[in-house]
PDB file of all heavy atoms in Angstrom:
ATOM      1  N   GLN A  10     211.363  97.222 -54.049  1.00  0.00           N
ATOM      2  CA  GLN A  10     211.948  97.865 -52.883  1.00  0.00           C
ATOM      3  C   GLN A  10     213.187  98.662 -53.279  1.00  0.00           C
ATOM      4  O   GLN A  10     214.306  98.322 -52.920  1.00  0.00           O
ATOM      5  CB  GLN A  10     212.350  96.809 -51.832  1.00  0.00           C
ATOM      6  CG  GLN A  10     211.166  96.083 -51.217  1.00  0.00           C
ATOM      7  CD  GLN A  10     211.606  95.056 -50.211  1.00  0.00           C
ATOM      8  OE1 GLN A  10     212.718  94.533 -50.256  1.00  0.00           O
ATOM      9  NE2 GLN A  10     210.742  94.747 -49.274  1.00  0.00           N
ATOM     10  N   THR A  49     197.930 104.250 -75.614  1.00  0.00           N
ATOM     11  CA  THR A  49     199.027 105.031 -76.191  1.00  0.00           C
ATOM     12  C   THR A  49     200.273 104.927 -75.327  1.00  0.00           C
ATOM     13  O   THR A  49     201.393 104.721 -75.828  1.00  0.00           O
ATOM     14  CB  THR A  49     198.609 106.507 -76.331  1.00  0.00           C
ATOM     15  OG1 THR A  49     197.510 106.594 -77.239  1.00  0.00           O
ATOM     16  CG2 THR A  49     199.764 107.359 -76.847  1.00  0.00           C
ATOM     17  N   VAL A  79     191.532  95.781 -67.668  1.00  0.00           N
ATOM     18  CA  VAL A  79     191.745  94.477 -68.294  1.00  0.00           C
ATOM     19  C   VAL A  79     192.022  94.607 -69.789  1.00  0.00           C
ATOM     20  O   VAL A  79     192.804  93.834 -70.354  1.00  0.00           O
ATOM     21  CB  VAL A  79     190.553  93.535 -68.014  1.00  0.00           C
ATOM     22  CG1 VAL A  79     189.295  94.009 -68.726  1.00  0.00           C
ATOM     23  CG2 VAL A  79     190.907  92.106 -68.381  1.00  0.00           C
ATOM     24  N   LEU A 112     201.375  95.467 -58.244  1.00  0.00           N
ATOM     25  CA  LEU A 112     202.259  94.461 -58.814  1.00  0.00           C
ATOM     26  C   LEU A 112     201.532  93.341 -59.555  1.00  0.00           C
ATOM     27  O   LEU A 112     202.096  92.727 -60.459  1.00  0.00           O
ATOM     28  CB  LEU A 112     203.143  93.845 -57.725  1.00  0.00           C
ATOM     29  CG  LEU A 112     204.228  92.867 -58.191  1.00  0.00           C
ATOM     30  CD1 LEU A 112     205.236  93.577 -59.081  1.00  0.00           C
ATOM     31  CD2 LEU A 112     204.929  92.222 -57.010  1.00  0.00           C
ATOM     32  N   PRO A 114     199.144  92.693 -61.990  1.00  0.00           N
ATOM     33  CA  PRO A 114     199.172  92.517 -63.449  1.00  0.00           C
ATOM     34  C   PRO A 114     200.588  92.483 -64.012  1.00  0.00           C
ATOM     35  O   PRO A 114     200.874  91.718 -64.931  1.00  0.00           O
ATOM     36  CB  PRO A 114     198.383  93.723 -63.980  1.00  0.00           C
ATOM     37  CG  PRO A 114     198.341  94.708 -62.865  1.00  0.00           C
ATOM     38  CD  PRO A 114     198.442  93.926 -61.606  1.00  0.00           C
ATOM     39  N   ALA A 131     210.941  80.322 -63.134  1.00  0.00           N
ATOM     40  CA  ALA A 131     210.754  81.769 -62.960  1.00  0.00           C
ATOM     41  C   ALA A 131     209.281  82.124 -63.045  1.00  0.00           C
ATOM     42  O   ALA A 131     208.789  82.974 -62.294  1.00  0.00           O
ATOM     43  CB  ALA A 131     211.553  82.535 -64.020  1.00  0.00           C
ATOM     44  N   GLY A 180     183.945  95.127 -77.455  1.00  0.00           N
ATOM     45  CA  GLY A 180     183.148  96.274 -77.881  1.00  0.00           C
ATOM     46  C   GLY A 180     183.785  97.584 -77.448  1.00  0.00           C
ATOM     47  O   GLY A 180     184.947  97.634 -77.022  1.00  0.00           O
ATOM     48  N   PRO A 181     183.040  98.671 -77.540  1.00  0.00           N
ATOM     49  CA  PRO A 181     183.584  99.977 -77.160  1.00  0.00           C
ATOM     50  C   PRO A 181     183.824 100.054 -75.659  1.00  0.00           C
ATOM     51  O   PRO A 181     183.231  99.297 -74.877  1.00  0.00           O
ATOM     52  CB  PRO A 181     182.482 100.956 -77.589  1.00  0.00           C
ATOM     53  CG  PRO A 181     181.239 100.136 -77.603  1.00  0.00           C
ATOM     54  CD  PRO A 181     181.653  98.754 -78.018  1.00  0.00           C
ATOM     55  N   PRO A 182     184.705 100.945 -75.213  1.00  0.00           N
ATOM     56  CA  PRO A 182     185.006 101.071 -73.780  1.00  0.00           C
ATOM     57  C   PRO A 182     183.757 101.299 -72.939  1.00  0.00           C
ATOM     58  O   PRO A 182     182.886 102.089 -73.309  1.00  0.00           O
ATOM     59  CB  PRO A 182     185.951 102.279 -73.726  1.00  0.00           C
ATOM     60  CG  PRO A 182     186.579 102.328 -75.080  1.00  0.00           C
ATOM     61  CD  PRO A 182     185.513 101.873 -76.032  1.00  0.00           C
ATOM     62  N   PRO A 189     188.147  97.966 -61.588  1.00  0.00           N
ATOM     63  CA  PRO A 189     189.293  97.381 -60.877  1.00  0.00           C
ATOM     64  C   PRO A 189     190.385  98.414 -60.568  1.00  0.00           C
ATOM     65  O   PRO A 189     190.999  98.368 -59.507  1.00  0.00           O
ATOM     66  CB  PRO A 189     189.798  96.300 -61.841  1.00  0.00           C
ATOM     67  CG  PRO A 189     188.593  95.935 -62.646  1.00  0.00           C
ATOM     68  CD  PRO A 189     187.838  97.220 -62.834  1.00  0.00           C
ATOM     69  N   ARG A 202     197.568 106.407 -46.072  1.00  0.00           N
ATOM     70  CA  ARG A 202     197.292 107.559 -45.192  1.00  0.00           C
ATOM     71  C   ARG A 202     198.184 107.529 -43.950  1.00  0.00           C
ATOM     72  O   ARG A 202     198.500 106.482 -43.418  1.00  0.00           O
ATOM     73  CB  ARG A 202     195.832 107.520 -44.730  1.00  0.00           C
ATOM     74  CG  ARG A 202     194.864 107.943 -45.829  1.00  0.00           C
ATOM     75  CD  ARG A 202     193.458 107.970 -45.289  1.00  0.00           C
ATOM     76  NE  ARG A 202     192.512 108.387 -46.308  1.00  0.00           N
ATOM     77  CZ  ARG A 202     191.199 108.457 -46.106  1.00  0.00           C
ATOM     78  NH1 ARG A 202     190.676 108.141 -44.951  1.00  0.00           N
ATOM     79  NH2 ARG A 202     190.410 108.831 -47.089  1.00  0.00           N
TER      80      ARG A 202
END
Side-chain angles (χ1 to χ4, degrees):
Q10 293 179 335
T49 297
V79 68
L112 186 63
R202 285 184 179 178

